[in-house]
Amino acid sequence: MLHPHRLTELMAARIFHDLGSPMASITAILPQATDPAAHAILMETAGELRARMKLFAAAFGHGDDLGWAELGGLLLGAPMAHRVRFELPAADGLLPAGRVRLMLSLALLSAEALPRGGVVRVAEDAEGWVSFLPEGRDAAWSPTLAELMAGGALDAALADGPRRVLAPWVLAQAEAEGMELSFALGVGQALPPLCLGPAG
């Protein structure tokens, strides 16, 4: 059985870690902020921090109903956005807030499968199934996700700590949304897409 408080602790640790890097850069450069070059770096880093906070508010908080295009804008604030590009569906319409949380979290989880960068391709079919395919050098789903998809316990996955917490977070969010996750088989890619659809 999943212990929500432990998942919350790990998610908080992960969020603070991912916000800490730009915050540390801002703190370090503030004493030189009057220098034009330092000021430019400070403003750029502050923009990155603002974008990251907007993304995290939507992915891990109580957000709004949004469309795919708006999700694409939010993902520009991803910690790995400098090396990972997100290709999202061009579909119209709004996703409810819970589904927005889930899609953003799945996109971030997919980006973690690209240690050397690449592209996360997200596709949606007519039946409502959404697939996430990371493509890039050395692409590999996290061991924590692989274990969970093979039937591992969510509680055991939490032992992997904040660095791997997105996998149990995504599964918990999918369950809350009445959705299920599976790896697509027999599609020819070296790395199978992660698919999300209505729970059977």
Side-chain angles (χ1 to χ4, degrees), residues 5 46 58 64 146 149 165 180 192-193 200:
H5 70 277
D64 300 318
M149 297 298 290
V165 73
E180 65 180 20

Side-chain angles (χ1 to χ4, degrees), residues 77-124:
M80 63 290 289
H82 61 285
R83 56 182 167 81
V84 175
R85 183 168 48 91
F86 298 91
E87 290 188 359
L88 304 181
D92 296 326
L94 296 178
L95 299 170
R99 200 63 52 86
V100 166
R101 267 195 309 274
L102 181 54
M103 297 305 173
L104 290 173
S105 298
L106 276 162
L108 293 172
L109 178 64
S110 300
E112 287 188 348
L114 297 168
R116 298 182 182 271
V119 58
V120 172
R121 303 188 194 280
V122 184
E124 185 176 25

Side-chain angles (χ1 to χ4, degrees), residues 106 110 121-123 129-135 141 145 149 181-196:
L106 276 162
S110 300
R121 303 188 194 280
V122 184
W129 281 83
V130 182
S131 64
F132 293 78
L133 177 61
E135 292 183 343
W141 291 111
L145 176 64
M149 297 298 290
L181 290 163
S182 62
F183 285 125
L185 301 176
V187 292
Q189 290 97 342
L191 190 70
L194 181 61
C195 299
L196 174 79

Side-chain angles (χ1 to χ4, degrees), residues 35-186:
D35 176 76
H39 181 75
I41 295 172
L42 181 63
M43 295 305 293
E44 180 182 351
T45 307
E48 291 174 1
L49 178 61
R50 185 167 48 251
R52 193 165 299 183
M53 291 176 70
K54 286 177 65 176
L55 169 61
F56 286 179
F60 308 127
H62 181 70
D64 300 318
D65 299 355
L66 299 173
W68 280 110
E70 292 167 295
L71 268 63
L74 288 170
L75 286 167
L76 294 175
M80 63 290 289
H82 61 285
R83 56 182 167 81
V84 175
R85 183 168 48 91
F86 298 91
E87 290 188 359
L88 304 181
D92 296 326
L94 296 178
L95 299 170
R99 200 63 52 86
V100 166
R101 267 195 309 274
L102 181 54
M103 297 305 173
L104 290 173
S105 298
L106 276 162
L108 293 172
L109 178 64
S110 300
E112 287 188 348
L114 297 168
R116 298 182 182 271
V119 58
V120 172
R121 303 188 194 280
V122 184
E124 185 176 25
D125 69 17
E127 283 72 43
W129 281 83
V130 182
S131 64
F132 293 78
L133 177 61
E135 292 183 343
R137 185 178 171 193
D138 298 333
W141 291 111
S142 80
T144 304
L145 176 64
E147 291 169 9
L148 285 170
M149 297 298 290
L154 279 170
D155 271 354
L158 297 180
D160 290 337
R163 187 164 176 261
R164 300 293 187 192
V165 73
L166 275 179
W169 168 262
V170 160
L171 265 74
Q173 293 302 308
E175 182 179 356
E177 286 295 303
M179 309 289 280
E180 65 180 20
L181 290 163
S182 62
F183 285 125
L185 301 176

